[in-house]
Amino acid sequence: MSHYFTDNSDLKQNRKEVPFRFLDIEYVVHSDDGVFSKNGLDRGTEVLLKVVTNQELTGNVADLGSGIGVIGVILSSYFDINITGVDVNPRAVELANLNFKRYDVKGKNIVQDGLMGTFDAVISNPPIRVGKEKLYELFDSAYESLTRGGSFIFVMRKSHGAKSAQAKCIELFGNCELLKKDKGFYVYQAKKD
């Protein structure tokens, strides 16, 4: 079985343009089979973005588990930032780069497992289906890549382990604040001191 967090390059292409609305702005993104949330903006990402668009973002921002680049596309319309999206799915990364080009996003998407480099913020709707061990490796990479004072902001369903993810971030960062609860989705922020 093919998952959105795997290299599914052999899967038959079924490209399409998918419209969606976020805070009264219409977007149309390239999508395909074999990618996360192929039919539009998923609820978790929407909850996350409603919180993040009310934060202060500057500098270099990473989207960990970027999928087709929706987070980068939306955040670039709110902030003057440079976005690096990372994902292990080559199909998703190709689509994300097409979506960045369509919306003149400053940045790029790359096929990579975890983060490398230095970022002022890491934003993520993480791929929880990879399992807790791998998920926490991704959290480790977020911590390691953040500048001092940088933030890791992520969303997770309560039923998918949000509380244990918060505990992991407290272990890593020494803090992890719950910013919002919305119909079972929890948005957290951990700051690197």
Side-chain angles (χ1 to χ4, degrees):
M1 180 177 181
S2 180
H3 292 278
Y4 63 86
F5 54 84
T6 60
D7 179 354
N8 53 19
S9 303
D10 295 336
L11 187 65
K12 184 179 175 188
Q13 272 193 6
N14 183 26
R15 291 228 172 140
K16 56 191 166 234
E17 292 193 342
V18 178
F20 67 90
R21 178 185 289 274
F22 177 74
L23 297 180
D24 296 324
I25 299 173
E26 292 285 337
Y27 296 90
V28 178
V29 293
H30 299 280
S31 190
D32 201 343
D33 292 339
V35 298
F36 177 69
S37 193
K38 70 179 182 178
N39 294 317
L41 181 64
D42 68 283
R43 182 74 179 126
T45 300
E46 181 180 13
V47 171
L48 173 67
L49 286 167
K50 283 180 179 177
V51 171
V52 174
T53 54
N54 287 303
Q55 303 292 311
E56 293 294 322
L57 286 184
T58 59
N60 294 313
V61 176
D63 176 2
L64 179 59
S66 58
I68 61 171
V70 170
I71 288 174
V73 166
I74 291 174
L75 291 182
S76 73
S77 65
Y78 285 84
F79 303 102
D80 183 19
I81 54 178
N82 186 54
I83 305 247
T84 300
V86 300
D87 203 294
V88 297
N89 183 331
R91 178 175 292 199
V93 168
E94 180 182 354
L95 293 164
N97 282 321
L98 289 172
N99 292 325
F100 273 31
K101 185 175 182 181
R102 172 176 274 176
Y103 287 96
D104 295 319
V105 176
K106 288 194 284 187
K108 64 184 177 201
N109 293 274
I110 54 177
V111 177
Q112 187 170 283
D113 188 5
L115 294 173
M116 289 181 255
T118 305
F119 300 98
D120 301 298
V122 176
I123 312 300
S124 187
N125 180 354
I128 57 106
R129 302 272 185 231
V130 297
K132 190 181 279 191
E133 184 178 331
K134 179 62 188 169
L135 180 67
Y136 290 172
E137 286 176 19
L138 295 174
F139 283 21
D140 290 340
S141 78
Y143 177 80
E144 292 300 322
S145 70
L146 279 169
T147 58
R148 188 173 210 162
S151 291
F152 176 40
I153 305 173
F154 67 98
V155 65
M156 193 172 289
R157 277 186 182 273
K158 179 181 180 187
S159 62
H160 290 164
K163 299 249 178 173
S164 63
Q166 180 184 30
K168 169 63 177 176
C169 284
I170 290 170
E171 176 187 311
L172 269 175
F173 291 85
N175 65 85
C176 188
E177 178 185 359
L178 176 63
L179 298 178
K180 184 170 181 77
K181 290 185 202 178
D182 187 337
K183 296 180 179 147
F185 288 98
Y186 287 29
V187 178
Y188 292 103
Q189 178 179 37
K191 293 185 180 180
K192 186 173 182 178
D193 292 330

